Amino acid sequence: MPPSTRRWLSLGFVAAVFILGLYHLTDYDQPSVVVEPIPVTSKNNQFPWKDVPKQYPVSSMMALPTARPLHIPTIQFDFSWRKESKEEKDKREARMKAVRENFAHAWEGYKAHAWMKDEVAPLSGGSRDTFGGWAATLVDSLDTLWIMGFKKEFMNAVGTLDKIDFSRSSGEEINVFETTIRYLGGFLSAYDLSGHASLLAKAIQLGEMLYVAFDTPNRMPNTRWRWKDAADGKSQEAAAYTIVAEIGSLSLEFTRLSQLSGDPKYFDAVQRITEQFLRYQNQTRLPGMWPVIVTPENADFVSDNTFSLGAMSDSLYEYLPKQYMLLGGLHDEYREMYEAAIVTAKQHNLFQPLNKDNLDILVSGLVKVYEGKAELVPEGQHLVCFAGGMIGIASQIFGLDDLSTARKLVDGCIWAYESMPAKIMPETFRLIPCKGDCLWSEAEWYKEVLSYQTGPEAIESVFILYRITGDTTLQDKAWNMFQAIEKHTRTDIAHASLIDVTLSVPAKSDRMESFWTAETLKYFFLIFSEPNVISLDEYIL
């Protein structure tokens, strides 16, 4: 299918894409305190963010490309020649039905106990407003409702969107990244699937708000944004320091908003960030990659010494090949940046861990650079499991010989699931890198195992590799993962995060993040769906 017909679907990441720890820890179990709303003067009872005077206006706007899109190679395996037997179809559809039922269970729990709140508390039956108080689970899950065929529930949810008021928030500070991926991405993906105009209108409304966060002297955004000060016309600076994924993972949503609205300012805003990443990519302490902490205030993208494809960096890299596709291949810098980054990551971050069966698998670790020397910290993360899918997609569209690397990373995440007593991969764990022949010994081979937060990264990559290779054994692996997760996370209300997956019966925590219904269950559903449902050659996931 030609790239001009590609449409964009929410990453969840966004790909996705979620940053571990720093903001989750600060938000967890914090009471909601609704900040006094901004005085509303517009006819639709919403604050007119578009009319906020600009302190640092853009003098020359960068426009979206208008040339004919380039040919981008297809991604998916050709399933047309494969004939599915009745027994195989029945098994696949039974698995798909089980996933759908679990989504319905979580959704009903959210509706009954936390409707219009950000999250449901799956043990106590309470609710939380951890991401602005604008119904994060509802908005983030709209595309899943549509894909799974819950059209009545979808229409009911869309009908409530007028109640979301961006003139008030559950906190004085907004995380621009989280707001972008959960809300803006949620509105846009649901619009791309359904065509309901109210979703695009809501996306534009939120986009106008978020755009004000870029009104700084160097046009770098204030990623932890005091939104009310900005609405009051107070001058603002870019963030003194920020997690690199927070500033580097806005491009897809803002670009798609420009494409759909016809307003180039959103693309201009994120393209200015891209130019900084491109400028400094080969000047960092680990040339080719960017450190996990950067300083947007003075455009310092090079000083920090920690490098990772995982937490705090993940979606920065994930967005590069996807932005290339979204722009029809007409901004080649995204290909160049990805290829330079992955060469460095393969050299320094990827390693084969010691494992009892001597499997040929890979894990992506952390790298610290001291006095010019790169040192591997052999830490595995659930978050970094997205990398297998990213590398798989990039190998297809860029013609790279990296598909075997992608598969080894996916197999590494499957191995991590299968190795735990609960059969669920932990969020973080330590490993022993192979040296030489990689023969197993009874040494202590992992430690520091933590929780499981129902994240999507592992099943995302398993799904993508299945769609690329057509290997049905990956469906069986996915089913084993789903059964273990469902068994241990399900509560009477919804599904809960787990505290310690080294136990055969791990205790639950009173938290269900929006990505459980928005992403994790969506990928489990899609791997058991017909291959033409959300084809990777038609949608950017």
Side-chain angles (χ1 to χ4, degrees), residues 140-269:
D140 209 6
S141 303
L142 287 171
D143 62 345
T144 309
L145 285 167
W146 184 272
I147 291 167
M148 290 189 180
F150 292 106
K151 300 299 170 62
K152 183 178 178 181
E153 293 291 341
F154 176 87
M155 293 306 300
N156 180 54
V158 170
T160 67
L161 296 183
D162 283 344
K163 297 179 182 178
I164 297 177
D165 182 1
F166 295 122
S167 71
R168 66 176 68 223
S169 172
S170 60
E172 294 185 356
E173 188 176 84
I174 290 173
N175 185 313
V176 170
F177 164 74
E178 288 287 358
T179 304
T180 297
I181 64 169
R182 295 180 193 251
Y183 293 107
L184 186 56
F187 293 136
L188 291 171
S189 60
Y191 173 76
D192 265 339
L193 285 167
S194 71
H196 282 275
S198 61
L199 291 161
L200 179 56
K202 205 68 182 180
I204 293 171
Q205 187 183 100
L206 178 56
E208 293 286 3
M209 178 187 186
L210 292 172
Y211 186 70
V212 178
F214 290 78
D215 189 22
T216 66
N218 64 358
R219 300 301 303 178
M220 295 294 103
N222 193 328
T223 51
R224 304 299 178 97
W225 182 42
R226 298 186 70 84
W227 57 278
K228 195 171 182 183
D229 287 350
D232 290 338
K234 296 180 181 178
S235 181
Q236 52 187 1
E237 302 282 339
Y241 65 91
T242 190
I243 296 165
V244 72
E246 290 191 355
I247 192 172
S249 307
L250 308 172
S251 55
L252 287 173
E253 292 85 354
F254 275 68
T255 297
R256 187 59 177 154
L257 185 57
S258 278
Q259 290 176 339
L260 292 173
S261 68
D263 191 336
K265 68 185 181 186
Y266 306 109
F267 173 70
D268 174 88

Side-chain angles (χ1 to χ4, degrees), residues 264-303:
K265 68 185 181 186
Y266 306 109
F267 173 70
D268 174 88
V270 293
Q271 191 63 19
R272 291 174 187 273
I273 298 173
T274 296
E275 289 185 348
Q276 296 301 316
F277 280 114
L278 181 62
R279 177 182 177 184
Y280 292 109
Q281 182 172 20
N282 292 317
Q283 299 179 35
T284 68
R285 298 190 185 195
L286 193 66
M289 296 181 70
W290 299 275
V292 300
I293 301 294
V294 296
T295 307
E297 186 177 35
N298 60 9
D300 179 1
F301 289 71
V302 301
S303 293

Side-chain angles (χ1 to χ4, degrees), residues 437-451:
D437 54 15
C438 199
L439 294 177
W440 172 256
S441 70
E442 291 297 328
E444 179 188 5
W445 59 278
Y446 68 84
K447 58 183 178 179
E448 298 182 19
V449 179
L450 300 178
S451 61

Side-chain angles (χ1 to χ4, degrees), residues 480-523:
N480 292 338
M481 292 162 62
F482 173 77
Q483 287 183 300
I485 294 169
E486 192 270 346
K487 174 183 177 181
H488 293 297
T489 64
R490 186 161 175 148
T491 73
D492 291 340
I493 295 168
H495 298 80
S497 299
L498 303 176
I499 294 172
D500 186 355
V501 295
T502 63
L503 304 176
S504 58
V505 183
K508 299 177 178 70
S509 64
D510 199 17
R511 188 82 189 269
M512 187 185 87
E513 292 224 37
S514 68
F515 51 66
W516 169 247
T517 49
E519 296 187 78
T520 307
L521 288 174
K522 176 168 62 187
Y523 288 120

Side-chain angles (χ1 to χ4, degrees), residues 18-21 243 245 292 308-314 366 381 383-384:
F18 294 94
I19 299 170
L20 179 66
I243 296 165
V292 300
S308 173
L309 291 178
M312 301 187 288
S313 299
D314 48 358
L366 194 73
Q381 298 178 5
L383 273 168
V384 83

Side-chain angles (χ1 to χ4, degrees), residues 324-359:
Y324 176 88
M325 289 190 287
L326 186 61
L327 292 170
L330 296 174
H331 273 258
D332 200 48
E333 68 268 29
Y334 290 99
R335 178 191 61 79
E336 294 171 354
M337 293 164 74
Y338 170 81
E339 290 185 1
I342 207 63
V343 166
T344 299
K346 287 167 65 177
Q347 180 181 353
H348 294 284
N349 295 77
L350 307 191
F351 67 96
Q352 183 179 3
L354 195 67
N355 64 90
K356 196 166 188 177
D357 295 321
N358 295 321
L359 300 173

